[in-house]
Amino acid sequence: MTIKVNHETKEFHLFNDHVSYIFRVLEKSKQLEHLYYGKKITHRDSFQHLIEREIRPSCNLFESDHTSSFEHIKQEYPSFGTSDYRYPAHEILTQNGSRISNFQYETYQVIPGKPPLHLLPATYVENPEEAETLEITLVDPILKGTLILSYTIFSNRAVICRNSRFINNGKDAFFLENVMSTSVDFPDNDFELVHLTGAWARETHIETSKISKGIQTVYSARGASSHTHNPFIALKRPETTEHTGDVYGFSLVYSGNFLAQVEVDSYHVSRVMMGINPFQFKWKLHPGEDFQTPECVMVYSDQGLNGMSQVYHDLYKTRLVRGYWRDRVRPIVINNWEATYFDFNEEKILTIADSASRLGIELFVLDDGWFGERHDDTSSLGDWYENKNKLPHGIKGLSEKVEQLGMKFGLWFEPEMVSRNTTILSEHPDWMIATPNRAPSHGRNQFILDFTRSEVVDYVFKLMDKILGESKISYIKWDMNRFMTEVYSDQLGQDQQGEVSHRYILGVYSLYDRLIVKYPEILFESCAGGGGRFDPGMLYYAPQGWASDNTDAIERLKIQYGASLVYPLNSIGSHISAVPNHQVGRITPLETRANVAFFGTFGYELDVTKLTTEEKEIITQQVSFFKQYRELIRTGRFYRLVTPFETNETAWMVVSPDQTQALIGYYQVLSRPNDYYCRLKLKGLNPEKLYEIKELGTTHFGDELMNAGIVFADDYTNRASEYWQREKASDFSSLLFCLEEVK
């Protein structure tokens, strides 16, 4: 890993064994020109031969200089209005109404390691040798503002992280109306855009389309990253596949409103930007104050989408997730929500917990309905006091009894939300996000507390702290079941209402941080009506997230396959639920439900007291199996083999770091008559190692499994009667293969 600087030509080259990133300072304007981003190229004294200048019809910055138009210069952090007509990476409104800015290069510094971001989640290093950070300082002398662009390159990862920081050094306030975290101008548009889209119960579906002239946008304006779009995009070459070809990934470490945009201009230049959504954003920056943007994690891969994913997985599970649970296997959970919904009491909960404990399940989670007068979804959010009619011994007593059964105890909260007719709203009616003199809309009969206010965060913290401090709680499921509407805060002035959404998410981060500091061994799982806030920002606080409220195994194939583009397996909440499935009504085999859920955090969402003896025996075996392989699932490299978005089948696998073990999942949606022969080619094995496939009782070298594959058809020569009597794969069937090296 190196950051090389040519002081004479003011060129900057960030590179390691995987990737290069090159830009320079323009001689006249002192702004930054982008030269190259991609596969590592050999360093040389100067890359000025990469400069492209031809005379084009345009407006130019300097008289008699017909090649000084920013419209035709690839830039690092562009503005609008000084000869560039494309969308800018920043926009500032000054006191006189002007939106023209001109940040000029002043200096740079190279910092060993990676500085943390103030109040924001970000990737990190554990020693300075893991990364280097380049900070470029630019100054607008008229605005009296400073802009610091930060670039971190990791030593052994194809990763460059970017963020920007604005400082007001003047005497007058100005308004930030657009502050992107990153902007990259690619020299061509021969790309396809890959992103994750969906809705509640069908999150993180992969969508791919050819980019074209104009603007293609992925965004959220809901106050959270949303079920609709994940804060991630990738640009891949048309010929790029899962395992071959160039791809550039962009992932925003942020949980609020975001924008990811690709603009293709008339000359085929593709401008990629990512950051806080400028829609309804307006931040008043007072003299002496600064504003920090979230971090964008950029990954380059020449080994296809799966190669990109593996870089994200390794980085996020070891240098974004942090704390006690980062390097530990996660407990197998049972959650009572789909078993009881709101209809439970202490006796019923303990009966479920006792049955679950006998099956080897390790942690019981009490979901919604334990507080206030919460018998349905119309009341009590914000009144975090135990309902003693349901739980006569309170959370303290219940948690102790669950631990006596040999299990850990977890609890559901929805800290950001509030219901009508609650103590908190009766005492503090101004603590709700709502626009004055207008009726607020509701979602799930609930409203949003104003987390821009520190006193609201303090109030919620004290209520949660009381319960956590007196009870034996090992896990918190943090839910968030509605998005923002009528965005307004009573504590902010008219000229600061554009700050509400960002200040709100900073308040959420603050509450998370305070709880984690005081209770470092509690395992947090984030949830937002499923995957409504499943993003890297949340992973910094909660090492796993509930990927979707949809627990149907067949729908989960697409959800978990898509989520794996960015997120490691041990961050993806995946449980087995009862059938018919509560979201889609489908009946799938218990075996298939497990074979999907194994490739995640693994747990159960059902009433184990209603299981048959045979089903309990199967679950006991599933629990035992996962305990045997969860270290492999946590630490292994994940490979996507067959996509559910194009075929009737899905396949994926995870390989241990030393390539001595592998676990393969293969899934069929619908059974087909007289079907074609199938061979499943594996990935990531050692070609010279001999592996046993336990389920088949056969041995194969790694090169055979990767090049010829696992042959699913059998040889029925002279065995015709056996062929017609064989057990046939049904709808929603699956196979699991465990590979072990033969010593």
Side-chain angles (χ1 to χ4, degrees), residues 442-493:
H442 74 87
R444 200 175 180 247
N445 301 298
Q446 61 194 55
F447 304 89
I448 305 177
L449 288 171
D450 186 357
F451 266 46
T452 71
R453 309 172 75 127
S454 60
E455 63 268 31
V456 174
V457 176
D458 290 344
Y459 182 96
V460 175
F461 173 78
K462 288 175 183 176
L463 291 179
M464 296 179 70
D465 181 41
K466 182 178 186 301
I467 294 169
L468 299 179
E470 65 185 19
S471 307
K472 293 184 177 296
I473 296 176
S474 302
Y475 168 107
I476 290 177
K477 180 180 178 181
W478 182 315
D479 211 343
M480 191 279 290
N481 276 298
R482 66 154 291 184
F483 295 125
M484 284 189 178
T485 55
E486 296 85 38
V487 180
Y488 190 95
S489 172
D490 270 350
Q491 74 146 351
L492 296 174

Side-chain angles (χ1 to χ4, degrees), residues 39-55:
K39 190 171 184 175
K40 185 249 183 177
I41 58 178
T42 302
H43 181 70
R44 54 192 296 167
D45 290 340
S46 176
F47 289 96
Q48 294 213 2
H49 58 282
L50 296 178
I51 297 171
E52 297 167 298
R53 293 287 189 281
E54 292 184 356
I55 297 173

Side-chain angles (χ1 to χ4, degrees), residues 336-447:
N336 74 296
W337 178 243
E338 290 192 14
T340 67
Y341 293 103
F342 295 102
D343 183 20
F344 62 83
N345 54 31
E346 183 178 282
E347 181 183 2
K348 191 169 188 177
I349 291 302
L350 289 173
T351 301
I352 294 173
D354 182 53
S355 296
S357 177
R358 295 174 189 274
L359 299 175
I361 298 172
E362 299 163 310
L363 192 150
F364 178 87
V365 180
L366 179 62
D367 210 282
D368 194 358
W370 55 268
F371 52 93
E373 295 299 321
R374 184 78 163 174
H375 306 295
D376 53 35
D377 66 5
T378 63
S379 74
S380 301
L381 288 170
D383 284 349
W384 300 109
Y385 313 100
E386 304 105 317
N387 184 318
K388 291 297 182 73
N389 291 322
K390 288 184 177 181
L391 307 173
H393 300 97
I395 294 299
K396 179 180 185 295
L398 178 63
S399 65
E400 291 171 348
K401 291 179 180 180
V402 169
E403 287 217 341
Q404 288 169 8
L405 295 172
M407 301 181 77
K408 297 296 184 181
F409 180 78
L411 193 60
W412 180 95
F413 282 94
E414 195 169 2
E416 304 158 60
M417 300 296 149
V418 67
S419 303
R420 294 287 197 192
N421 303 315
T422 49
T423 302
I424 184 173
L425 269 194
S426 65
E427 295 177 355
H428 306 282
D430 57 331
W431 281 10
M432 188 175 86
I433 287 180
T435 303
N437 304 316
R438 296 190 184 274
S441 53
H442 74 87
R444 200 175 180 247
N445 301 298
Q446 61 194 55
F447 304 89

Side-chain angles (χ1 to χ4, degrees), residues 554 557 647-650 667-671 730-733:
I554 300 306
L557 292 174
T647 67
N648 185 56
E649 291 80 30
T650 303
Y667 314 90
Q668 174 181 268
V669 178
L670 297 178
S671 180
S730 63
D731 293 348
F732 320 132
S733 61

Side-chain angles (χ1 to χ4, degrees), residues 91 283 325 669:
E91 192 169 12
W283 190 277
W325 287 100
V669 178

